[in-house]
Amino acid sequence: MEQTMRKYPVGIQTFSEIIREGYLYVDKTDLVWQMAHYAKFIFMSRPRRFGKSLLTSTLESYFKGDRELFEGLKIMSLEKEWTQYPVIHLDLSIAKGKSSAQELQRSLILLLKRLTVYEDNPEEVTPGEKLDGMIRRLYEKTGKQVAVIIDEYDAPLLDVLHSQATLDAMRKVMQEFYVPLKANEAYLKFCFITGITKFSQLSIFSTINNLLNVSLDETFATICGFTEEELCTTLWPDVERLASALKLTPEQMHDKLKLQYDGYHFAAGAPEVYNPFSLLNCFVRRKVSNYWFASGTPTFLIKQMQHFHTDITSLDSLDVPESAFDQPTENMKDALPLLYQSGYLTIKDYDPDTEAYMLSIPNQEVRVGYIYGLLPTYTGLNSGDVQIGFAAKFWKALKQGDIDLAMQHMQSYLAGIPYVEGFKQKLAEAKTKEGFYEYTFYLIFSMLNVYVRTQVKVAGGRTDMVIFMPDAIYVMELKVGDTARHALEQIDSRGYAKPYLTDGRKIVKVGIRFDTDKHSVDEWEVASLKP
């Protein structure tokens, strides 16, 4: 009976409503308490739809002293006083999409006026002046310090990242707005600011020089998102219910969910977390799908990837220092910081000797979503055309283990693509012709919801492409101006297939030669290794 009575808080970000209405809640209140006592000024970035708003709402309820909401939760063994503080909780997503500094100022003032604690003072004109007056009056009336909680702090700026003049003007508005947070430090109990990206203290929080960034702090790495332990305990009835609906065992369902939605790390050595938005939607709709991407790929991200000519095939394995992906947004020299902070890349490993992080695409949902969002932009190919005109035939042949038939479908499809100028230019700019076709293969395989990796490191070098199917692993070497036979021999001579010999699945080695004049597959050689 419990499984049918679960209520999932899809689209609900208010802690008090989740508790009072009996929605499913995964208890993070011990981490919330730790954060509330960690420092006075805290900043944390997390991807969109990852639970930031619920976190800010939980902090609001805690500082308001709403003890009854927390009965039975972990925080009850930690908090003893439950002091009630005045709270200013602001969600700046209301100011998203404004095209000028004047519009932004009006939106911020409107946001403040909507607060129940707002009192109008005609001498206060700018958003910063009104926030300053609000903090001081609350302190004077209650005799208690004020908690300020700001959600989506960067929302007003993200859509204008590509327009320097507009960005500069709107950034000045935000600077003025945040001035009271430092000026009234004596009147503040706690200040928490969260969003997707990281703007530097110099450009936005120019006066808050003690804002502690905990975005990569292991202490709070799992405060947003669901851990493996939480999935296998609190959420396990939901996994069983979904498994029953999809006619799978709970263990099979777990593995499917893990591949699709798990894989995020927000600190070196921290546990992986699942995307909470996608997982809850999956439980509600009883279907494993790409919910996070379907909710909208941010325009600002696509524009920045285009601006920096980002090659998505390189995103499977990036070895970088922390400074490469934790840069302030306005100081970016490539799209890497934005991709990490937005959740399109995540930490997969860390080498303490070199202090280098390995970044990669988190999971299959993000991998497929890249292609849906970027395939038309990058290549001129329509994702719908790829699916309808080619995917079904190719997928069926591959599942049947008929690599020859699959490659014939690939050959016919590639030969018929009307290559747009951008695609031709990518061929001209490619460091190697193989690299260009590797890029094309990557896009198409990812469209098929196939787990594909490129430039996979092995002891003997780098494998061009490895494709993971339920019952087989395809190790591919791509050649231009050479033979398919030589490509196949290279797989053997350099040991590209060795890492997968103990996997249990059939290993299929494929050497492929491309014809640059026809823009298509010219010949291929196949050899199999059975487990």
Side-chain angles (χ1 to χ4, degrees), residues 436-503:
F436 167 76
Y437 287 109
E438 177 186 302
Y439 189 86
T440 308
F441 259 48
Y442 179 91
L443 292 171
I444 293 175
F445 277 119
S446 294
M447 271 294 298
L448 297 171
N449 204 18
V450 174
Y451 179 37
V452 54
R453 293 185 61 198
T454 62
Q455 292 298 308
V456 182
K457 293 180 182 177
V458 296
R462 290 177 180 263
T463 314
D464 279 345
M465 185 169 293
V466 182
I467 300 163
F468 299 86
M469 297 287 288
D471 58 352
I473 297 174
Y474 294 86
V475 181
M476 294 186 169
E477 182 66 21
L478 317 179
K479 293 294 182 184
V480 172
D482 204 340
T483 65
R485 168 60 60 182
H486 185 231
L488 194 63
E489 291 172 352
Q490 184 172 318
I491 294 174
D492 288 331
S493 65
R494 300 190 181 181
Y496 291 162
K498 284 184 178 179
Y500 316 106
L501 295 178
T502 59
D503 179 273

Side-chain angles (χ1 to χ4, degrees), residues 55-125:
L55 173 59
T56 60
S57 177
T58 309
L59 283 165
E60 177 184 14
S61 293
Y62 168 71
F63 278 104
K64 282 184 174 179
D66 293 334
R67 186 182 190 279
E68 72 281 1
L69 295 176
F70 295 91
E71 290 290 347
L73 299 178
K74 294 175 183 177
I75 198 172
M76 296 304 294
S77 64
L78 300 169
E79 180 59 47
K80 305 302 180 185
E81 297 180 1
W82 293 101
T83 303
Q84 296 179 342
Y85 296 96
V87 177
I88 298 174
H89 183 189
L90 302 170
D91 180 357
L92 266 60
S93 63
I94 193 175
K96 182 179 180 180
K98 305 307 176 185
S99 58
S100 70
Q102 292 74 24
E103 286 186 12
L104 177 57
Q105 279 188 316
R106 286 196 295 270
S107 291
L108 293 175
I109 290 172
L110 177 62
L111 178 63
L112 293 172
K113 286 183 175 181
R114 288 178 176 174
L115 296 177
T116 56
V117 295
Y118 177 80
E119 292 182 11
D120 192 46
N121 184 332
E123 294 183 359
E124 298 163 0
V125 178

Side-chain angles (χ1 to χ4, degrees), residues 32-192:
V32 171
W33 187 89
Q34 287 184 57
M35 179 170 280
H37 295 81
Y38 198 70
K40 178 177 278 194
F41 292 91
I42 293 179
F43 169 79
M44 186 180 76
S45 68
R46 283 294 183 270
R48 64 187 178 86
R49 296 188 179 275
F50 233 89
K52 298 188 302 297
S53 295
L54 176 57
L55 173 59
T56 60
S57 177
T58 309
L59 283 165
E60 177 184 14
S61 293
Y62 168 71
F63 278 104
K64 282 184 174 179
D66 293 334
R67 186 182 190 279
E68 72 281 1
L69 295 176
F70 295 91
E71 290 290 347
L73 299 178
K74 294 175 183 177
I75 198 172
M76 296 304 294
S77 64
L78 300 169
E79 180 59 47
K80 305 302 180 185
E81 297 180 1
W82 293 101
T83 303
Q84 296 179 342
Y85 296 96
V87 177
I88 298 174
H89 183 189
L90 302 170
D91 180 357
L92 266 60
S93 63
I94 193 175
K96 182 179 180 180
K98 305 307 176 185
S99 58
S100 70
Q102 292 74 24
E103 286 186 12
L104 177 57
Q105 279 188 316
R106 286 196 295 270
S107 291
L108 293 175
I109 290 172
L110 177 62
L111 178 63
L112 293 172
K113 286 183 175 181
R114 288 178 176 174
L115 296 177
T116 56
V117 295
Y118 177 80
E119 292 182 11
D120 192 46
N121 184 332
E123 294 183 359
E124 298 163 0
V125 178
T126 67
E129 289 172 353
K130 291 182 179 297
L131 178 59
D132 178 78
M134 187 180 298
I135 292 171
R136 291 173 180 270
R137 282 189 291 274
L138 283 172
Y139 179 78
E140 290 168 0
K141 283 186 175 183
T142 64
K144 293 178 181 171
Q145 292 175 305
V146 180
V148 176
I149 301 166
I150 300 177
D151 190 14
E152 303 285 358
Y153 90 97
D154 51 353
L157 303 176
L158 291 178
D159 286 337
V160 297
L161 282 177
H162 62 287
S163 175
Q164 193 61 48
T166 306
L167 177 62
D168 289 343
M170 296 177 78
R171 194 159 47 192
K172 289 179 181 177
V173 174
M174 298 309 302
Q175 284 177 331
E176 192 271 341
F177 183 63
Y178 290 124
V179 164
L181 299 182
K182 176 62 176 179
N184 292 298
E185 187 270 334
Y187 306 138
L188 295 181
K189 174 66 179 178
F190 181 73
C191 177
F192 180 68

Side-chain angles (χ1 to χ4, degrees), residues 398-440:
L398 207 60
K399 284 202 74 175
Q400 292 173 344
D402 192 339
I403 188 66
D404 285 325
L405 180 58
M407 293 307 300
Q408 288 170 19
H409 289 316
M410 177 70 79
Q411 185 180 49
S412 299
Y413 184 74
L414 288 176
I417 291 176
Y419 286 87
V420 296
E421 288 305 312
F423 213 41
K424 291 179 180 178
Q425 182 180 355
K426 192 169 284 292
L427 174 58
E429 293 175 350
K431 294 180 180 178
T432 65
K433 296 297 191 293
E434 288 89 350
F436 167 76
Y437 287 109
E438 177 186 302
Y439 189 86
T440 308

Side-chain angles (χ1 to χ4, degrees), residues 301-451:
L301 181 68
I302 292 178
K303 287 180 178 178
Q304 292 301 307
M305 291 183 73
Q306 287 179 290
H307 175 73
F308 290 114
H309 306 290
T310 305
D311 178 2
I312 62 173
T313 64
S314 69
L315 304 182
D316 271 316
S317 181
L318 293 168
D319 293 319
V320 295
E322 181 180 317
S323 58
F325 63 93
D326 195 38
Q327 293 178 23
T329 306
E330 69 273 34
N331 294 341
M332 293 188 306
K333 295 179 174 58
D334 55 48
L336 184 58
L338 204 55
L339 289 170
Y340 172 78
Q341 293 162 17
S342 301
Y344 294 78
L345 287 176
T346 195
I347 296 168
K348 288 297 183 181
D349 201 1
Y350 176 71
D351 185 343
D353 294 330
T354 61
E355 297 185 342
Y357 289 79
M358 190 187 91
L359 304 185
S360 183
I361 297 171
N363 51 44
Q364 187 66 0
E365 178 183 30
V366 178
R367 188 179 305 280
V368 174
Y370 265 118
I371 311 309
Y372 276 90
L374 301 174
L375 189 75
T377 301
Y378 271 59
T379 69
L381 302 178
N382 183 283
S383 57
D385 291 343
V386 174
Q387 284 186 300
I388 296 169
F390 164 71
K393 295 177 183 177
F394 186 91
W395 176 251
K396 184 176 180 181
L398 207 60
K399 284 202 74 175
Q400 292 173 344
D402 192 339
I403 188 66
D404 285 325
L405 180 58
M407 293 307 300
Q408 288 170 19
H409 289 316
M410 177 70 79
Q411 185 180 49
S412 299
Y413 184 74
L414 288 176
I417 291 176
Y419 286 87
V420 296
E421 288 305 312
F423 213 41
K424 291 179 180 178
Q425 182 180 355
K426 192 169 284 292
L427 174 58
E429 293 175 350
K431 294 180 180 178
T432 65
K433 296 297 191 293
E434 288 89 350
F436 167 76
Y437 287 109
E438 177 186 302
Y439 189 86
T440 308
F441 259 48
Y442 179 91
L443 292 171
I444 293 175
F445 277 119
S446 294
M447 271 294 298
L448 297 171
N449 204 18
V450 174
Y451 179 37

Side-chain angles (χ1 to χ4, degrees), residues 411 414-417 419 437 514-522:
Q411 185 180 49
L414 288 176
I417 291 176
Y419 286 87
Y437 287 109
F514 286 95
D515 186 317
T516 55
D517 294 327
K518 297 178 181 178
H519 301 299
S520 189
V521 176
D522 184 44

